[in-house]
Amino acid sequence: MKLNTRVAVATLLLGVSPAALTAQIVEPTTPPPAPAFDAQGEPVFVNRADIYTYRALDSYAEPDFVAAFVAAGQLPPVAERLPAEPLVYSTANMPDGVGAYGDVMRHVIGGRPEGWNFWGGQTQGWGGIDIGLTECLTRTGPLFTVSPDDLEPMPNLARSWDWAEDGMSLTVHLIEGAKWSDGDPFDTEDIAFYWNDIVMNPDVTPLMNATQDTYGSGTTLEVIDAYTFRMNFTTAFPEQVLYAMAYGNFCPGPSHVLKPVHPTYGGESYDAFRNAFPPTYLNFPVMGAWVPVEYRADDIVVMRRNPYYWKVDDAGNQLPYLNEMHYRLSTWADRDVQAVAGTGDFSNLEQAENYVESLRRAADPAAPARLAFGPRTIGYSLYFNFSGNGWGEPDARGQAIRDLNRNADFRMGVTQALDRVRLGESLVKGPFTVQYPGGLYAGTSFYDEASTVFYPYSLDSARAHFEAAGLTDTDGNGFLNHPADVLGGADVQVTLLANTDYQTDKNLAEGVVAMLEEAGIRVSLNLLTGNDRDNAMNAGRFDWMVFRNASEMITVVQGTTQLAATGPRTLRHHNANDAGALDLLPFEQELADTVNAFITSRDADERVALMKDYQRIYTENVYGAGLTAYPGALIINKRFSNIPAGAPIFMYNWAEDNIMRERVFVAADAQADHELHPGTLPGAPGSAGPVSAN
Ligand code: GLA
């Protein structure tokens, strides 16, 4: 009889000796080989100074419609709006040379703007909106085209910097005389506000969570004069600080509008501060090339050129070339569809489910857009919440999962329950996806295969690890139970957080649920929209999460402090509790020490060796269980010029930054009639929409 056989097998399994258990465990190996997939288009390697420098030119030019504002006395002459020494792009480095003014880049995005207060932690909806609004002290997007010998962040709002001889401080020189889009001067008042009232204020969490630790624990900042400040460190030459000054972190906000609503300066409350600039607040002052002038909920954000933008080409034309930017508020999948169809202009093709159809349509010579694949830099991991001491305030069930997450056998069981071939193929068949063990991506500069530990798929082995972690199916319902002294021996019940804005995130999360079920672990999904997911993640309210990895897994040198729990709030899946206590496991401490040693080391060989250690400790201990990694493709309408060869959709930054949109243009004879507000410029902050010249 079937039933009896099952009971007999169960009895047998329950009675196995530890030796028999070990026999079932499938030992780790190095990762399986990846199918060959060649990136299309190689970057041209140059030095940073070949791309742009800072200098005065004899004369400057602007679009005719902007000159009309000057003629009408509504705007100072262009030379007065620009810094004495603007940032000057070199024609020699522009793929198609000096551009023509006009036209629009029509983005489609899946996110929704909460408001303009990036510094108070609001999202603008992603997809390049905030990248276009904020400018940061340094810039890293274009580094994909910088030769390895000159690899260091590019200057941007910081035009230069000098290290003290002992490396314990860095003096930063800002561009002088640059202005916000409403004409207010950009200077160290903005820097001091950003540092003192955003980064150092525990009541404010900026969008990308920059804290003091992002710049090294104990780092301080002092203003020297209107255009100079100094950062003081507790270790010598922490060069990663220059990367932490790039997009996402040291991107100062307009203190002249933020300060009056900040509680330190009389603002009502931190909530009120965060929400003071909703999407309907138009003409918010920016240092970026375009200013928001129109917002329609669930429809569109329109931006017009910033008349004070501080960058020019070397013929003296004030940038940007494009007069307008659109962000159609739709879905990420629709971004691919529209870019391929030509009703949108740009997409980072990153949801593998759309690859086959997009490729098929782009292959038509008459297709309106070009599509080029880059390296395998899109990757997902399953992260375990490692806090055992209360971050995110778990209930008893959640706490029991945290305790399991901190158990190596449990994590090994989870990783061996994942059939990564099936996971990858559930997204797309073909040579795209690879089995990703976790940690640094294969093919990136610090990756070392021999230091990468891969736990092969094996349900038997997974079950053996779970048993070693104390989990058995005591009630015979097919799901593993906690030991009797935990939650009364209830079924293990895990909640998996994932972002519902992306089909890929949902598919991977569903795959994880199904595979863990086969291994006897019951997982339920907590699917939230991007904004809600981010809030839950940042507050530590999750057991596990499926997460599309950030750039530190590719570059190592950027976001370095986020590679491990190098501070109380640097790692996405292990933060300190409210009392500031961070309960690191011994291997986590080792990882953090390794990353900190990497940050302080200036010896190239030592840095390579340290990252090998990192990768080994990370993958051996399954700090995150990698799921899949694959290449992304840039889809861009054929009418655009100056798109650099080999621009990856994701490396140091997203393609929206990598292609340097301010110097992208549409040749006069290719320009389409897409401007929604032709002939207008942004108005005064908070006023209704753009304005025309009298
Ligand atoms: C989202 C998109 C990415 C990219 C970024 C830019 O995350 O998925 O492709 O556009 O926004 O911030």
Side-chain angles (χ1 to χ4, degrees):
M1 267 175 56
K2 265 194 182 151
L3 190 70
N4 280 345
T5 327
R6 229 193 263 164
V7 171
V9 172
T11 320
L12 242 174
L13 277 177
L14 286 175
V16 287
S17 67
L21 260 183
T22 334
Q24 293 177 30
I25 286 180
V26 176
E27 293 301 327
T29 62
T30 51
F37 192 91
D38 290 333
Q40 295 156 3
E42 282 295 305
V44 180
F45 287 106
V46 296
N47 288 334
R48 290 170 300 150
D50 296 333
I51 304 176
Y52 54 74
T53 53
Y54 298 76
R55 63 203 156 93
L57 300 179
D58 293 340
S59 65
Y60 299 100
E62 61 195 332
D64 291 343
F65 86 87
V66 181
F69 280 81
V70 179
Q74 288 168 279
L75 197 66
V78 61
E80 289 171 27
R81 301 194 311 267
L82 288 166
E85 297 190 335
L87 183 155
V88 183
Y89 275 102
S90 306
T91 309
N93 180 254
M94 293 191 191
D96 303 298
V98 167
Y101 285 124
D103 213 328
V104 179
M105 189 176 280
R106 296 165 305 161
H107 292 273
V108 174
I109 65 174
R112 292 293 179 275
E114 292 175 313
W116 307 117
N117 199 349
F118 178 97
W119 305 273
Q122 287 187 317
T123 155
Q124 285 73 59
W126 309 108
I129 291 206
D130 59 316
I131 295 175
L133 294 174
T134 55
E135 294 270 349
C136 314
L137 293 182
T138 64
R139 186 171 188 179
T140 55
L143 291 185
F144 75 90
T145 186
V146 167
S147 113
D149 305 335
D150 192 41
L151 194 63
E152 191 179 75
M154 325 240 322
N156 197 47
L157 287 171
R159 63 172 284 176
S160 65
W161 47 82
D162 343 287
W163 289 97
E165 219 163 293
D166 63 1
M168 299 302 286
S169 70
L170 182 76
T171 304
V172 178
H173 307 279
L174 301 177
I175 183 166
E176 297 190 15
K179 299 185 173 72
W180 292 92
S181 55
D182 61 352
D184 195 85
F186 166 75
D187 52 28
T188 44
E189 233 185 285
D190 301 306
I191 300 294
F193 177 74
Y194 177 74
W195 183 262
N196 298 326
D197 303 306
I198 306 292
V199 173
M200 297 299 288
N201 184 328
D203 294 316
V204 183
T205 306
L207 186 58
M208 312 275 225
N209 301 335
T211 67
Q212 185 182 28
D213 291 317
T214 310
Y215 305 92
S217 79
T219 294
T220 59
L221 185 149
E222 55 178 313
V223 165
I224 312 262
D225 62 36
Y227 298 110
T228 319
F229 70 92
R230 184 177 302 140
M231 287 182 111
N232 304 305
F233 310 112
T234 54
T235 59
F237 295 107
E239 283 168 355
Q240 67 91 21
V241 157
L242 295 169
Y243 288 90
M245 287 179 178
Y247 169 71
N249 295 311
F250 216 133
C251 316
S255 60
H256 62 295
V257 304
L258 294 173
K259 229 177 183 172
V261 288
H262 188 289
T264 305
Y265 304 92
E268 185 185 314
S269 68
Y270 285 103
D271 257 4
F273 170 67
R274 189 180 197 268
N275 298 316
F277 307 97
T280 48
Y281 182 102
L282 300 175
N283 308 300
F284 184 84
V286 301
M287 290 305 286
W290 300 274
V291 185
V293 297
E294 185 182 1
Y295 166 75
R296 283 190 253 137
D298 289 325
D299 183 0
I300 198 169
V301 173
V302 183
M303 307 205 183
R304 289 291 293 175
R305 59 179 311 119
N306 167 0
Y308 287 91
Y309 199 52
W310 40 283
K311 305 184 184 181
V312 300
D313 66 21
D314 61 12
N317 300 302
Q318 186 185 30
L319 297 176
Y321 293 126
L322 298 171
N323 283 337
E324 213 169 274
M325 280 272 150
H326 295 174
Y327 296 91
R328 193 53 78 182
L329 305 176
S330 179
T331 65
W332 296 112
D334 190 39
R335 176 171 73 166
D336 298 340
V337 171
Q338 294 219 38
V340 169
T343 51
D345 290 325
F346 174 103
S347 189
N348 296 325
L349 185 66
E350 61 192 358
Q351 296 195 74
E353 295 87 339
N354 299 346
Y355 282 19
V356 173
E357 179 62 11
S358 304
L359 274 169
R360 193 183 61 75
R361 299 190 59 174
D364 180 348
R370 42 184 179 234
L371 184 159
F373 274 97
R376 279 195 180 94
T377 56
I378 304 295
Y380 284 83
S381 296
L382 173 66
Y383 287 107
F384 310 96
N385 190 330
F386 270 82
S387 166
N389 65 356
W391 176 48
E393 297 171 4
D395 57 11
R397 183 211 55 80
Q399 183 61 42
I401 302 303
R402 304 287 183 93
D403 295 341
L404 285 172
N405 289 344
R406 293 168 66 85
N407 178 313
D409 264 302
F410 180 70
R411 299 192 303 277
M412 289 173 196
V414 172
T415 204
Q416 290 202 299
L418 298 171
D419 179 352
R420 293 174 171 80
V421 174
R422 234 195 315 152
L423 266 183
E425 285 186 350
S426 76
L427 305 181
V428 61
K429 298 211 166 44
F432 302 104
T433 64
V434 291
Q435 300 194 59
Y436 167 47
L440 307 179
Y441 291 143
T444 58
S445 36
F446 283 97
Y447 174 78
D448 176 50
E449 187 186 270
S451 310
T452 305
V453 178
F454 178 71
Y455 291 90
Y457 171 59
S458 162
L459 278 180
D460 274 352
S461 188
R463 284 185 176 268
H465 278 299
F466 288 144
E467 184 155 359
L471 309 179
T472 45
D473 181 11
T474 47
D475 54 9
N477 70 351
F479 290 104
L480 300 178
N481 296 72
H482 288 286
D485 59 345
V486 179
L487 303 176
D491 278 352
V492 172
Q493 170 70 57
V494 180
T495 301
L496 174 59
L497 175 65
N499 184 341
T500 190
D501 291 356
Y502 296 90
Q503 194 56 45
T504 310
D505 296 51
K506 281 194 283 188
N507 283 344
L508 289 172
E510 279 163 11
V512 168
V513 170
M515 287 171 188
L516 265 298
E517 183 173 322
E518 287 165 23
I521 302 276
R522 183 178 269 156
V523 182
S524 58
L525 286 179
N526 182 19
L527 290 176
L528 299 180
T529 63
N531 292 345
D532 291 343
R533 190 283 305 259
D534 289 352
N535 290 333
M537 171 174 80
N538 293 333
R541 291 193 306 267
F542 63 95
D543 300 341
W544 295 357
M545 67 173 169
V546 162
F547 184 76
R548 187 180 69 192
N549 282 313
S551 68
E552 62 270 11
M553 290 305 178
I554 309 167
T555 68
V556 171
V557 290
Q558 174 159 299
T560 315
T561 53
Q562 298 167 48
L563 282 168
T566 54
R569 290 197 286 149
T570 68
L571 189 69
R572 282 183 197 81
H573 57 110
H574 197 175
N575 275 205
N577 61 16
D578 284 349
L582 186 59
D583 54 350
L584 296 185
L585 294 168
F587 90 85
E588 294 188 87
Q589 186 62 56
E590 224 186 309
L591 267 184
D593 293 345
T594 307
V595 172
N596 284 327
F598 177 90
I599 288 171
T600 46
S601 169
R602 302 189 87 202
D603 174 338
D605 294 339
E606 187 186 36
R607 282 160 72 96
V608 167
L610 285 165
M611 274 303 128
K612 288 184 180 175
D613 291 345
Y614 172 83
Q615 179 77 346
R616 185 182 44 73
I617 303 167
Y618 185 112
T619 53
E620 199 167 74
N621 290 284
V622 200
Y623 207 18
L627 298 173
T628 186
Y630 52 82
L634 179 62
I635 310 179
I636 192 144
N637 194 282
K638 288 175 182 165
R639 74 179 193 287
F640 292 97
S641 295
N642 272 352
I643 305 298
I649 68 158
F650 190 49
M651 194 170 275
Y652 293 89
N653 200 349
W654 290 98
E656 290 91 332
D657 189 41
N658 303 348
I659 64 172
M660 297 175 263
R661 283 178 295 181
E662 62 267 38
R663 55 167 225 190
V664 168
F665 71 97
V666 180
D669 59 359
Q671 291 197 0
D673 201 9
H674 293 310
E675 287 182 61
L676 289 173
H677 298 286
T680 68
L681 284 177
S687 65
V691 292
S692 309
N694 287 326

